[in-house]
Amino acid sequence: DFELDPFNWKHNLFIMIHHVQYLQSTLKSNDLAIMAYNCGEGNVMNNTIPSVTKYYLASVKNSYRLLKNEE
């Protein structure tokens, strides 16, 4: 147990990782979790995903592919 400092990048990374893990376990899909991280869980669950979030998902997946190919 420790206090989270919103100005500490390590704390922010910790929070982000746990939030994405929550979204993945709740939504049962990496794509849906990425979109929910961007536009909100409610929008994904109600299928009201903005088009900008769909572009965001494509960008994240493209970046992942590029990073994976560098290995």
Side-chain angles (χ1 to χ4, degrees):
D1 287 318
F2 61 92
E3 285 192 39
L4 293 173
D5 176 3
F7 300 104
N8 182 316
W9 69 269
K10 291 178 185 176
H11 293 191
N12 280 295
L13 185 60
F14 174 82
I15 292 167
M16 184 274 301
I17 289 169
H18 283 274
H19 184 60
V20 170
Q21 287 175 333
Y22 160 78
L23 292 170
Q24 286 174 319
S25 68
T26 302
L27 300 171
K28 309 291 187 219
S29 162
N30 287 338
D31 287 359
L32 293 178
I34 291 167
M35 288 191 290
Y37 183 78
N38 182 256
C39 73
E41 184 180 355
N43 284 328
V44 171
M45 294 179 86
N46 294 325
N47 200 26
T48 55
I49 301 165
S51 59
V52 68
T53 296
K54 294 174 184 176
Y55 290 117
Y56 173 78
L57 174 64
S59 176
V60 168
K61 291 174 85 169
N62 187 50
S63 295
Y64 177 77
R65 277 191 291 276
L66 291 173
L67 289 170
K68 191 173 180 180
N69 287 335
E70 287 184 7
E71 293 178 355

